Amino acid sequence: PDGEILSDESLHSPDRAGWVEYTREGHSRLALVRMLPDGSAFSVSHSLSNEDSASVMLSQVVALFGLMAMIAVTVTALIAARAASKSLARLTASLTRVSAGDFSERLEAPRNWGALSSVTGLLNETLAALQRRDADMKTALSAIAHEMRTPLSHVLQSTTIITDPASTPEERSAALERA
């Protein structure tokens, strides 16, 4: 019965406590045993016979739910990893085109990626600024080239006249004045 005093030779040191499993009248019991200073033992025991099948069944259910949870987590992680891989592949392809000088390219921001979405937005703003500066630079270079063509064409024409042996001295003199 519960609360019976056990004397177990292995637990005879004072202030020692532990679990003891034993069999009485063909039934398994589990007892929490506490050694008292006078050398006697105090225990509280409980029969395991009625709970054996229930505990086995409970442990099987817990194991099954644990397995199902592990499978669900694994599948979710694989799906997330695949989505992340596709997003990063698209991002890499876009950045490759940008590094080749295509500033009109815009990066697709992965949804719900927090900091990466913010970085992608900043990169798109930077690309727009680069595209504007590239267009401004092309316009400026075109204007500079046009402004340089006119004087250079006069110098080229004058040089041709001056170096031409068929030119008259008056033509050479006029060419030098224009240049």
Side-chain angles (χ1 to χ4, degrees):
D2 290 343
E4 71 181 294
I5 295 178
L6 297 176
S7 59
D8 184 286
E9 296 300 322
S10 66
L11 292 173
H12 275 293
S13 59
D15 297 326
R16 182 149 182 209
W19 291 98
V20 176
E21 185 176 347
Y22 66 97
T23 305
R24 176 176 270 176
E25 298 172 3
H27 298 288
S28 292
R29 297 185 69 81
L30 183 64
L32 174 60
V33 178
R34 169 86 173 159
M35 293 306 298
L36 300 175
D38 67 357
S40 63
F42 176 77
S43 72
V44 177
S45 66
H46 186 71
S47 172
L48 297 176
S49 300
N50 296 337
E51 295 174 4
D52 282 344
S53 61
S55 64
V56 168
M57 188 174 174
L58 179 63
S59 65
Q60 289 174 345
V61 168
V62 168
L64 181 62
F65 276 118
L67 179 63
M68 289 173 30
M70 284 178 32
I71 290 171
V73 167
T74 302
V75 168
T76 302
L78 287 173
I79 290 170
R82 185 174 172 99
S85 178
K86 284 182 179 181
S87 291
L88 289 175
R90 286 192 301 271
L91 193 59
T92 301
S94 291
L95 286 173
T96 300
R97 288 188 290 276
V98 168
S99 69
D102 182 6
F103 299 130
S104 65
E105 180 70 29
R106 292 299 176 265
L107 308 175
E108 181 182 332
R111 285 171 272 160
N112 302 325
W113 276 38
L116 187 57
S117 295
S118 298
V119 168
T120 304
L122 289 172
L123 281 171
N124 282 335
E125 290 174 17
T126 303
L127 287 172
L130 284 171
Q131 187 177 17
R132 287 189 300 274
R133 288 193 179 130
D134 189 48
D136 291 346
M137 186 175 65
K138 286 178 182 175
T139 302
L141 285 175
S142 177
I144 291 169
H146 176 71
E147 292 296 324
M148 291 182 71
R149 262 191 232 116
T150 303
L152 285 175
S153 66
H154 287 300
V155 170
L156 184 60
Q157 185 181 21
S158 296
T159 305
T160 304
I161 292 172
I162 292 169
T163 57
D164 186 8
S167 301
T168 64
E170 294 83 22
E171 290 174 328
R172 287 187 188 128
S173 179
L176 279 174
E177 287 178 21
R178 279 185 292 189

